[in-house]
Amino acid sequence: MLQELETIYKEALEAIASVRDSEALRAWERTYLGEKGSVYGMLRSIGKLPKEERADFGKRANEVKEALLAAMTEREKLVSAAELARDLEEGQIDVTLPGRPHPTGGLHPSTHTLRELYRIWGDMGFQVYRSRDVEDDETNFTLLNIPEHHPARDMWDTFHTTTPGVILRTHTSPGQIHAMRELGDEGNEPIRVILPGMCYRYEQVTARSEMQFHQLEGLAVGRNIRMSDLRGTITEFARRFYGPKAKIRFRSSYFPFTEPSVEVDVECFLCGGEGCRVCKYSGWIEIAGAGMVHPTVLQNGGYDPTQWSGFAFGMGPERMTMNKHDIRDIRYFWNNDLRFLEQF
Ligand code: DAH
């Protein structure tokens, strides 16, 4: 047995010499020094020896155990120093490497345009009034002088909800009713607001028309507001948005909620009126529908139309963005293609 002990001792010393990491060291410890390890195994079976040999064997076995423990402590120092060195080596930061690009978000092109519109209209005294996306039939149509079954309802293809009479707004104009009723103090206070928001139409999606898009509505109600105020205000807006030389024109049109109604064109800012692809060779680009608020609409907003008057307009921020950047397909706006969105 003594012979066997010496063999184990020799073997253990040889084995530890090739231990390179702490995992291997733990395995070595289990093999030679663990509860079930060989040296302990031998100590446990000491009873099998004849009595007179036990003392010598025990002494030697303890020496071997101590020697192996010492060898392990030595090895542990080496192994952990090596591991630390390797960690430091691997974790080294090369400060000369170029930085990794950090992706940042950006604003949607429509948001850029809307913010510019808020700034310009804000400077001109119009405050932002937020109105709901989900409307009722009555406010979206009837109160705007578009009665049920009136053929003018065909101008807007509507998304209906499963609740009768509850729809998605087809334009921001119903916000006029909410604004007049909420801010007008029962028809006693003048108001000047812009009403931005998403609108929805049950429409065939094409390069020119989407089923959702923004509008920016404007409304001014006061005591002596006239068509010339509308013209002057829109002209000033155009100068601020398109540049000091911007020219506008009014074309006669029809909307149920205004009388008279116009469509507003700005002289093409790309070709200066010469004619180009963006203005479809007409020299003019449509920027808004507008008009004097219809007496019925004023009344529905709580105002006495014999005392009060107002103008209103509606613009399309996506259209404006498309013209500005020569974007030829409105579908780019909502299909979340980063190649498009990252250009703004
Ligand atoms: N609501 C109209 C539309 O969807 C746009 C519009 C036209 C708004 C004339 C107005 C206006 O306020 O006066 O197409």
Side-chain angles (χ1 to χ4, degrees):
M1 244 169 84
L2 202 54
Q3 193 54 44
E4 200 180 329
L5 179 67
E6 295 304 336
T7 312
I8 289 171
Y9 182 36
K10 225 177 110 215
E11 191 189 299
L13 287 180
E14 273 165 20
I16 205 167
S18 59
V19 163
R20 293 271 174 275
D21 55 44
S22 26
E23 205 179 314
L25 191 62
R26 293 284 83 81
W28 180 90
E29 187 182 13
R30 276 193 303 278
T31 310
Y32 298 102
L33 292 171
E35 278 302 314
K36 293 180 190 136
S38 357
V39 175
Y40 282 95
M42 304 218 63
L43 274 170
R44 258 197 302 272
S45 46
I46 198 165
K48 289 181 197 152
L49 286 172
K51 268 206 171 87
E52 59 279 14
E53 288 177 28
R54 287 184 196 166
D56 280 351
F57 181 81
K59 187 162 165 274
R60 182 59 187 149
N62 272 316
E63 279 169 13
V64 166
K65 191 183 87 182
E66 289 306 322
L68 289 183
L69 275 173
M72 186 175 81
T73 312
E74 262 324 287
R75 200 68 200 174
E76 196 146 42
K77 281 186 207 150
L78 279 175
V79 161
S80 60
E83 284 179 345
L84 179 64
R86 188 166 58 214
D87 282 355
L88 287 175
E89 175 90 9
E90 280 172 4
Q92 207 173 50
I93 293 168
D94 182 350
V95 293
T96 65
L97 284 174
R100 293 198 190 94
H102 187 68
T104 52
L107 294 178
H108 191 277
S110 294
T111 307
H112 281 295
T113 303
L114 280 165
R115 288 191 176 181
E116 196 179 353
L117 293 172
Y118 301 157
R119 183 181 58 73
I120 293 174
W121 286 111
D123 287 350
M124 290 169 67
F126 287 75
Q127 81 187 85
V128 173
Y129 182 89
R130 298 253 169 213
S131 176
R132 63 196 67 161
D133 288 34
V134 179
E135 263 298 353
D136 51 61
D137 217 287
E138 195 185 9
T139 320
N140 194 81
F141 294 118
T142 317
L143 295 174
L144 291 169
N145 200 32
I146 317 166
E148 236 173 295
H149 310 302
H150 191 282
R153 285 206 184 189
D154 290 352
M155 287 166 78
W156 298 274
D157 302 302
T158 309
F159 277 113
H160 296 266
T161 68
T162 47
T163 311
V166 178
I167 61 166
L168 298 185
R169 65 174 165 201
T170 60
H171 51 178
T172 44
S173 304
Q176 290 189 29
I177 301 289
H178 295 297
M180 285 190 281
R181 288 181 174 181
E182 192 182 329
L183 307 174
D185 193 21
E186 306 193 349
N188 287 301
E189 285 295 326
I191 55 179
R192 228 178 330 176
V193 288
I194 48 169
L195 308 102
M198 193 64 85
C199 303
Y200 308 86
R201 290 191 195 165
Y202 184 53
E203 259 185 280
Q204 178 74 36
V205 175
T206 68
R208 298 288 303 165
S209 65
E210 250 292 1
M211 58 188 188
Q212 72 173 76
F213 54 89
H214 288 100
Q215 279 191 347
L216 186 109
E217 188 94 5
L219 173 70
V221 178
R223 289 240 176 226
N224 279 305
I225 292 184
R226 297 180 296 184
M227 190 82 170
S228 53
D229 296 309
L230 171 61
R231 195 179 169 91
T233 305
I234 298 266
T235 305
E236 182 56 24
F237 162 78
R239 290 197 185 122
R240 294 184 189 210
F241 190 82
Y242 293 107
K245 293 203 186 86
K247 270 198 216 128
I248 63 154
R249 75 175 182 189
F250 279 11
R251 267 181 298 114
S252 156
S253 185
Y254 172 74
F255 298 102
F257 29 86
T258 44
E259 179 58 37
S261 301
V262 293
E263 277 171 293
V264 187
D265 296 338
V266 62
E267 192 174 64
C268 182
F269 43 84
L270 285 178
C271 63
E274 297 278 306
C276 67
R277 204 189 50 250
V278 170
C279 63
K280 298 198 209 78
Y281 303 95
S282 70
W284 296 90
I285 291 173
E286 186 187 321
I287 59 164
M292 301 308 289
V293 182
H294 195 287
T296 302
V297 176
L298 281 172
Q299 207 152 31
N300 291 337
Y303 289 90
D304 174 359
T306 64
Q307 303 294 314
W308 296 82
S309 56
F311 66 71
F313 57 83
M315 333 189 120
E318 277 79 38
R319 285 276 139 77
M320 294 166 116
T321 312
M322 289 171 79
N323 290 334
K324 188 163 160 191
H325 298 289
D326 195 10
I327 299 163
R328 299 189 203 160
D329 194 323
I330 196 171
R331 289 171 290 195
Y332 286 126
F333 281 82
W334 316 122
N335 69 11
N336 291 336
D337 187 336
L338 287 178
R339 291 170 301 178
F340 172 72
L341 296 172
E342 280 171 348
Q343 294 179 52
F344 300 92

